[in-house]
Every structure is written in structure tokens, then in C-alpha cells.
Amino acid sequence: EIKNIDDYNPNHGFDYDIIVIGGGSGGLSASKEAQKLGFRVAVLDFVKPSPQGSTWGLGGTCVNVGCIPKKLMHHAALLGEHAHHATEFGWKNDGNIVHDWETLKDNVQDHIKGLNFGYKVQLRDEGVTYINKLGKFIGPNQLEVVDKKGRTDVISAARFIIAVGGRPVLPDCPGGEHAITSDDLFMLKKSPGKTCVIGAGYVALECAGFITNLKQGDVTVLVRSKPLRGFDRDIVDKVVDTMKSQGTNLIIGVTPTNIEKITNGDKDQFKVTYSNGESDIFDTVLCATGRKADTDKLNLESLGIEMNNKNGKIIATNEQTNVPHIYAIGDVVDNTPELTPVAIMAGKLLAKRLSSNLNKDNVTTTINAHDYMNYNTIATTVFTPLELGTVGLTEEQAIEKYGEENIEVYLSHFTPLEHTLLHLDENNCIAKIIVTKADNNVIGMHIASPNAGEIIQGYSVAMRKGLNYNDLQNTVGIHPTVTEELVTLTITKSSGKDANKSGC
């Protein structure tokens, strides 16, 4: 048991008990939970336009320019692929399947606007004050806030939760200002057309994948070193192979050195010169090389809050900064996963811990270990054309932690039943489990397949409870499904046997 983490006084005399700075997934989660638990809460949210002028409503990155529009466009691309292959299953078409970008963009944006409105209604109904203003600290308990017309005010609170997330960066090369980012892509009025994607993380490959499969134009990805760094390499290889087979051009080992705007009549194009001396002309240049925490204007240095100066992120322990009444959650926290569900859970748990001071007798209560955010064994999915699902350690991480001689890797290269009629590359999917040799405990599970996200979620619950390889082997699979691969793996890497599966 751990004691409370600050000296909160319910009779503080400030405007609010808690001000949450940032109205994204984490900020909304923390604010609503705190209000339910008896705090007076305000949410401060103001979207600064991207360098290209894009802006959006309440809800943060995930809802407006991240997970939601990305997944919808990924699904649109999958529908196109399904339509293309439907003839193999007896469907007749004239082969002229055409996608309309404007229709998709409008429908996605209409859905997002509905979510924006819904969040405002939720805050109102739950008694959270929504303040559409940009804030900065002018004292330990005071914020100066300014609205879109430049009018200023000062508000105060006993505690603050910083949940401002991050924003994408532009290319660091001449002409970098001509690029767009994921802050702009989902609102483009016209199809991106022939596109150069700079970067090799999950945002870059997800966007490259759906632009390719929506048939909007040829897509070239500039990869500085390796695609999807930090993910299991066997799994990544399958993802990349699929993208290449579908027409995405990945150039490994290059970066842009110059982006030149070329105007032909009423059409702007961009000549991108690569570090290997080659170049090409594109309709759109999309930069997805990373994000920087949106902390520059908060004036945190005036309070002495410890920061990582390289990425602008806040250094925190159990979401608490070195200034005890100021907390941080989500992507703005250094060395934590940049995932929406992580921010939501961290915000909810933090609010519960902070409420431990709200007892009537003002007696310090205790907080149990399960009230803290556990950043280990968190599942995630990359929504590339062939989806990647992962939880736990990669093979590379397991070797570093336990030693290669102390782990066993089970794997299978397989073909989902749905793919067997499509004349695709054989065994284009992969399932992989990593265990410790001493006790057969599962320390990593990975899969590249259709619906990988839906598959890996359930296994993450099992892993958090302590999953053993024997548990999987003693589980009867559902046939014929992709997920049964993970309960039927018997071939190990160390055996040298062929892991390519044949038969059903």
C-alpha cells in the first residue's frame, strides 16, 4: 500500500479542484472520472491550426486526425481489395471499381463532427466545465487563458493534469513547409494522388497502405533505416512484403534533402530529392517521421517541471511530475506508449487515486498497487493492409532481457482460409509466440493477419493474468479461424524445421 501523493486541501479556495489541460482521450477520461468522484473540474482545450491550416473540434488526436479516420480509411481500402477479389468467390463485376475520395472524406468528417458534439454533451451532462481556450501557467496554481479572439482571463486550481498530447513534425530539409502531416491528410478536399510518404513508423505505413489500396495514386515511402522499428522483425517482414506486393514502393536508407514546389497551371506538384541523389515528382508529400509533445507554450519551465528537452515530453513517476500538484497523462509523458487506450486508462486511474483525499474526516487513506497504471503487457495493432497485432516482448527484446539460450520461439507461416482462393503469395501471414524455457511462460505474442487487432486483444488479457504455453496447447481452437494458429503452434525456430504450414 502506498500513501497519497500530494497534500491536497479540499478547502483550497481556487476556482477548481482540478483543471485538465487538453481535451483528448486522456484528458476527457480523467476529467469525467474526477467529476464523478466529487471534484470540481474544468477541461481546457484549444486546437492550434496545423502549419497547413487544418483544425478540428473537441476530442484530441485519436478522434479527429488519428485512430478514427485512419481506421475508417483503412477499412475503405480493405473493402476495395475485397471487391477486387470478389470474382474469385463467384461475384460478377465489369472490373471498373472506382473510389471517390471526396465521398469518403465527407462521410468520415461528418462522423467525427458527431463525436465532437457528443463529447461536449457528455461534459455538460456530467458537470465538467469545458473551456475552449489556450492556457499557460503564470503561477503554481494559475493559468492565463486566451480565446480565439485574443481575449484573456485567469483561472486557478488546486491540481492540474496536463494531457496535451503531441503534434507531428515537418521534414527538416529545404522546402519542408510544403509537406502535410496526418493533421491534414484526412481533411484533404482532393485525392492525395501520387504521394511521397516520409517515415517508416506505424502512421507512415498505415497511411501509405490505405492510399495505395484506395487507388489514389502511386505511393513511395522513404525509409531512413528500418520499417516499424521496435516491432518484431519477423512480423514486420510479412507486413512489408504485403505492402510491396500491393504496389507500395519502399525505398530503404534514404531521406528527403529538398522539396521543391512546381506549379503547372492551376496544379501544384512537388519535386522531392532523396539523399541518394535520385528524385521524383509527387502530388502530395506526407511527413510521418514522429511527433513532438505540445508543451512549448505551457510555460512549464517557470514552475521547474522536469522535461525531456529532446522531445518536449514531461518526466513523471506514476503520472506525477516533480511539482507534486501537477500531473501528466498520455502521449505527453516521457517513456510511455503513445496509445489512446493507455491515456484513457491512465487518466481514469489517476482520478481515482486523487480522490483518496476526499473523505469527510480528512484522514489520509491508502492506495493499492492496482490503482496505478501498468504500462507493461499492453497490446496494440498496426492497421497496415496486412494488420499487425502484438503484445509483450518482441523476439529481439526477449533475447536482450533473458538471453537467446533462455527463450523459445514458436512460429507458423500460414494462409488464412479466406485467402486460399485469391492467388496471393502462399503463407503470407505469420503467428509467433515467445516463451521462457525455464517455465514455458508466454512473454510475447505476435501475429500478422487479417483482423489482427481483434485477435490480439483477448490474448493480452490472458498474458496479464499469467499465460503459459501449456494453457494455449490445452485450448481447443475454433476452426477454421486465424486465431486458432496461436493455440496450435508447435514448431520452434531452434528446431530448424520448416514453419510453413500446409493443409487446413
Side-chain angles (χ1 to χ4, degrees):
E1 293 185 339
I2 308 169
K3 291 185 177 180
N4 290 325
I5 46 183
D6 65 25
D7 296 323
Y8 175 76
N9 178 3
N11 302 311
H12 50 70
F14 297 113
D15 297 331
Y16 298 96
D17 298 322
I18 299 174
I19 291 178
V20 179
I21 307 173
S25 301
L28 293 176
S29 171
S31 63
K32 289 185 288 185
E33 187 69 22
Q35 186 75 30
K36 289 177 184 176
L37 294 168
F39 289 110
R40 298 195 315 279
V41 183
V43 171
L44 198 65
D45 188 71
F46 186 91
V47 178
K48 299 186 292 291
S50 75
Q52 301 295 347
S54 302
T55 188
W56 49 88
L58 179 64
T61 297
C62 173
V63 167
N64 293 283
V65 290
C67 320
I68 298 302
K70 170 196 69 183
K71 178 71 181 292
L72 289 171
M73 291 194 174
H74 167 66
H75 185 64
L78 291 180
L79 289 175
E81 286 296 293
H82 293 329
H84 173 72
H85 290 300
T87 55
E88 307 295 340
F89 289 86
W91 290 94
K92 305 295 183 183
N93 66 56
D94 59 6
N96 188 29
I97 302 170
V98 178
H99 183 266
D100 184 72
W101 173 270
E102 187 174 354
T103 298
L104 174 62
K105 183 264 298 180
D106 287 346
N107 288 341
V108 168
Q109 291 303 313
D110 285 346
H111 175 66
I112 290 171
K113 287 180 174 63
L115 294 175
N116 298 149
F117 178 75
Y119 289 133
K120 290 182 182 180
V121 172
Q122 288 177 18
L123 293 178
R124 182 194 64 200
D125 290 349
E126 297 185 22
V128 178
T129 301
Y130 167 53
I131 303 174
N132 184 210
K133 297 179 181 180
L134 186 65
K136 69 174 182 180
F137 283 96
I138 56 173
N141 296 91
Q142 292 81 32
L143 291 176
E144 180 184 84
V145 296
V146 57
D147 65 15
K148 62 183 179 181
K149 295 183 178 180
R151 296 173 296 200
T152 62
D153 196 3
V154 175
I155 56 177
S156 61
R159 286 164 160 166
F160 296 87
I161 300 175
I162 301 171
V164 294
R167 298 293 289 266
V169 297
L170 289 174
D172 184 19
C173 70
E177 70 276 7
H178 298 309
I180 67 170
T181 69
S182 55
D183 279 358
D184 312 293
L185 174 63
F186 306 108
M187 305 175 207
L188 287 181
K189 294 180 179 179
K190 295 182 180 179
S191 160
K194 183 179 178 182
T195 302
C196 175
V197 178
I198 305 168
Y202 66 91
V203 174
L205 295 197
E206 287 173 334
C207 293
F210 71 66
I211 294 173
T212 295
N213 289 332
L214 289 174
K215 313 302 181 188
Q216 298 306 310
D218 293 339
V219 178
T220 296
V221 183
L222 306 186
V223 181
R224 184 182 62 181
S225 55
K226 60 176 63 175
L228 295 177
R229 180 183 296 276
F231 291 89
D232 190 277
R233 301 323 301 170
D234 287 335
I235 310 299
V236 171
D237 288 345
K238 288 290 189 185
V239 169
V240 170
D241 287 347
T242 295
M243 292 187 68
K244 290 179 177 178
S245 71
Q246 293 177 344
T248 303
N249 177 31
L250 284 84
I251 306 178
I252 308 297
V254 302
T255 56
T257 58
N258 188 68
I259 302 172
E260 179 186 355
K261 185 176 180 179
I262 302 172
T263 301
N264 292 319
D266 60 352
K267 183 178 181 181
D268 291 334
Q269 290 184 302
F270 305 93
K271 179 182 179 181
V272 181
T273 303
Y274 312 150
S275 54
N276 63 2
E278 298 178 1
S279 64
D280 201 351
I281 295 175
F282 299 92
D283 299 309
T284 300
V285 180
L286 171 66
C287 184
T289 56
R291 303 173 68 83
K292 189 175 187 298
D294 195 18
T295 53
D296 288 345
K297 306 296 185 181
L298 289 176
N299 197 26
L300 299 179
E301 63 277 7
S302 69
L303 304 181
I305 291 178
E306 293 181 357
M307 310 279 293
N308 180 335
N309 293 326
K310 292 182 178 180
N311 56 24
K313 292 191 175 188
I314 296 170
I315 297 171
T317 302
N318 294 323
E319 295 77 53
Q320 186 179 30
T321 73
N322 61 308
V323 179
H325 69 287
I326 299 178
Y327 302 83
I329 59 173
D331 293 3
V332 77
V333 181
D334 200 31
N335 289 321
T336 58
E338 295 184 357
L339 298 168
T340 295
V342 170
I344 292 171
M345 180 67 76
K348 186 176 294 187
L349 291 174
L350 175 59
K352 289 180 178 178
R353 296 200 306 275
L354 297 182
S355 71
S356 63
N357 291 66
L358 282 181
N359 54 78
K360 295 180 180 179
D361 298 326
N362 200 27
V363 176
T364 299
T365 58
T366 54
I367 303 168
N368 296 311
H370 65 261
D371 295 319
Y372 286 86
M373 180 65 195
N374 181 356
Y375 289 99
N376 298 315
T377 321
I378 293 172
T380 191
T381 294
V382 181
F383 290 104
T384 36
L386 181 68
E387 294 179 10
L388 181 161
T390 178
V391 60
L393 301 179
T394 66
E395 181 179 351
E396 297 77 20
Q397 292 166 342
I399 290 173
E400 182 178 353
K401 182 173 182 177
Y402 294 97
E404 187 170 6
E405 70 280 5
N406 296 316
I407 66 166
E408 194 68 85
V409 178
Y410 295 86
L411 77 164
S412 170
H413 302 274
F414 66 97
T415 302
L417 179 64
E418 297 87 337
H419 287 187
T420 55
L421 305 187
L422 305 184
H423 308 296
L424 301 175
D425 292 340
E426 189 175 0
N427 292 338
N428 63 334
C429 297
I430 184 172
K432 184 173 183 179
I433 294 173
I434 305 160
V435 306
T436 51
K437 280 185 178 179
D439 48 22
N440 266 345
N441 284 336
V442 178
I443 55 176
M445 299 185 75
H446 313 276
I447 189 165
S449 73
N451 304 308
E454 310 296 340
I455 292 167
I456 207 68
Q457 179 71 83
Y459 289 105
S460 69
V461 177
M463 280 193 63
R464 291 179 72 88
K465 300 296 289 184
L467 179 63
N468 191 275
Y469 173 72
N470 295 325
D471 296 325
L472 295 169
Q473 289 295 292
N474 293 330
T475 298
V476 177
I478 303 172
H479 186 72
T481 63
V482 169
T483 190
E484 73 176 315
E485 292 295 325
L486 290 168
V487 298
T488 57
L489 292 178
T490 58
I491 295 177
T492 65
K493 263 192 172 182
S494 61
S495 71
K497 295 180 180 179
D498 186 3
N500 284 287
K501 185 176 180 181
S502 61
C504 65

